[in-house]
Amino acid sequence: MTSDRLQRFRDRLGLPLIAAPMFLVSGVELMVAACRNGVIGSFPTVNCRSTEQLESWFSEIDMRLRQHEDQSGRKPAPLCPNLIVHRSNVRLEQDLAVLLRHKPEIVITSVGSPAPVLKPLHDAGALVLADVASIRHAERAAAAGADGLVLLTAGAGGQTGWLNPFAFVRAVRAFYDGIIVLAGGISDGRALHAAEVLGCDLAYMGTKFIATRESMADERHKRMLVDSTADDILLTTAFTGLQTSMLKPSIVAAGVDPDDLPARGAIDIGKDIDVAARESRPKRWRDIWSGGHSASGVTDVLAVDDLVARTLAEYREAGGR
């Protein structure tokens, strides 16, 4: 299954794969490495401390990818910023303005309807992929005019969905002929090919990209993923208020009992009055780390070059083109 909307990028993709946008993990080095290896590189714009740094990231990534193209003769895969459209993102308008100046070819919207940003992004020439975690959200994003849907399924790392990927993909494909991206549980090239057979155009790979040399993740986070399996992933609302897949060993290391977590969103250091107490408490993403069910497939910390080469070999062995 290949949506017509992806044809313009087809000859630039070594794999039908997106390096998933991950908070505090996806940065310049990971984006450059992914794109020059034929993998769509995505990053949350909020990973930048300011709109000025976001401008700087775009400029540096563009320069380095142009150098790669000049040296190799191969055009890299597209860069794909991830825009948080929820009202809690106080930089939404400023970050959107940066995107419109740099005209990325693909943009992913998360945590809300893509409707408010669709027209300006389309006018700038971008394809817009919208994160969705339910059939109802998929229907709404499709009706709004999203070019693609990222289906957050059970097993995806970080903030995720809960639907079975087989059921979710087939239900959405029944009413939607745009780009479908599967997010959740893609641990190797065979799983990537299976996503295509299921009816997807692309898939996310997140957890395995955390454990790469180029990711911004804490080295302890990377090693913890190597030492963990899917059994070590806990789905909980305690840290963000939304269903989130977190690494149980990191919860234990932060001094919190994973079997006795408080109510929805209760672990929120922003609600503390005392500054010293706020700084001393474990912080989500900084001390308590995310991971997906594909943690079972993380066996070492690799360079992106090696991870993509291995995934490509697995994909071709499974019958992928």
Side-chain angles (χ1 to χ4, degrees):
M1 174 71 65
T2 302
S3 170
D4 291 343
R5 301 173 192 182
L6 281 176
Q7 288 304 321
R8 67 174 107 161
F9 311 123
R10 180 54 53 189
D11 62 349
R12 296 161 55 191
L13 300 182
L15 285 164
L17 189 63
I18 299 175
M22 296 173 285
F23 185 53
L24 302 184
V25 171
S26 307
V28 170
E29 296 301 324
L30 181 53
M31 294 305 92
V32 170
C35 291
R36 63 178 172 76
N37 275 284
V39 172
I40 297 170
S42 65
F43 70 97
T45 62
V46 294
N47 276 3
C48 299
R49 294 186 299 273
S50 64
T51 53
E52 291 76 18
Q53 187 178 43
L54 181 58
E55 290 270 12
S56 175
W57 277 28
F58 269 112
S59 298
E60 182 175 355
I61 293 170
D62 181 65
M63 177 192 68
R64 292 174 61 179
L65 290 179
R66 285 180 183 277
Q67 289 175 343
H68 168 73
E69 184 177 356
D70 291 342
Q71 293 167 1
S72 68
R74 298 193 306 273
K75 194 170 181 64
L79 178 69
C80 177
N82 171 214
L83 194 60
I84 307 301
V85 294
H86 191 266
R87 62 181 178 276
S88 62
N89 181 8
V90 297
R91 276 178 26 202
L92 174 57
E93 290 187 10
Q94 295 94 323
D95 284 2
L96 176 60
V98 175
L99 266 56
L100 297 178
R101 285 194 292 274
H102 286 270
K103 299 183 183 300
E105 297 169 284
I106 312 175
V107 174
I108 298 168
T109 64
S110 297
V111 201
S113 170
V117 299
L118 272 172
K119 186 179 187 308
L121 288 172
H122 280 161
D123 288 347
L127 291 177
V128 179
L129 313 181
D131 273 359
V132 294
S134 69
I135 303 296
R136 180 169 59 90
H137 290 151
E139 291 172 339
R140 289 182 176 179
D147 301 292
L149 304 175
V150 179
L151 308 189
L152 302 176
T153 71
Q159 292 179 350
T160 185
W162 53 90
L163 290 176
N164 176 285
F166 289 91
F168 199 2
V169 171
R170 297 314 302 159
V172 172
R173 188 50 87 193
F175 65 82
Y176 185 67
D177 64 358
I179 301 164
I180 289 183
V181 185
L182 176 61
I186 302 298
S187 62
D188 58 23
R190 186 170 292 275
L192 179 59
H193 180 52
E196 284 189 304
V197 173
L198 193 58
C200 300
D201 301 285
L202 299 165
Y204 269 12
M205 181 179 281
T207 301
K208 292 190 80 169
F209 277 105
I210 296 175
T212 57
R213 296 174 192 166
E214 292 88 349
S215 92
M216 298 193 302
D218 189 298
E219 292 302 317
R220 295 169 299 163
H221 186 182
K222 298 178 186 183
R223 295 311 310 178
M224 187 175 286
L225 283 170
V226 172
D227 296 334
S228 297
T229 71
D231 286 346
D232 294 304
I233 305 302
L234 177 68
L235 184 65
T236 178
T237 60
F239 300 100
T240 68
L242 299 174
Q243 295 278 6
T244 308
S245 295
M246 308 297 275
L247 274 164
K248 281 194 283 188
S250 71
I251 298 173
V252 173
V256 180
D257 183 356
D259 296 320
D260 187 27
L261 291 174
R264 181 186 183 96
I267 298 182
D268 184 351
I269 66 165
K271 295 185 182 299
D272 285 327
I273 296 174
D274 182 79
V275 174
R278 185 163 65 239
E279 290 303 314
S280 65
R281 287 182 62 178
K283 188 173 183 180
R284 60 184 182 239
W285 315 124
R286 183 193 68 188
D287 304 299
I288 299 173
W289 299 316
S290 65
H293 289 180
S294 57
S296 286
V298 179
T299 58
D300 201 358
V301 177
L302 300 174
V304 168
D305 288 3
D306 295 330
L307 173 59
V308 175
R310 179 181 296 180
T311 305
L312 178 59
E314 294 161 345
Y315 175 75
R316 288 176 173 167
E317 183 180 348
R321 298 189 303 276

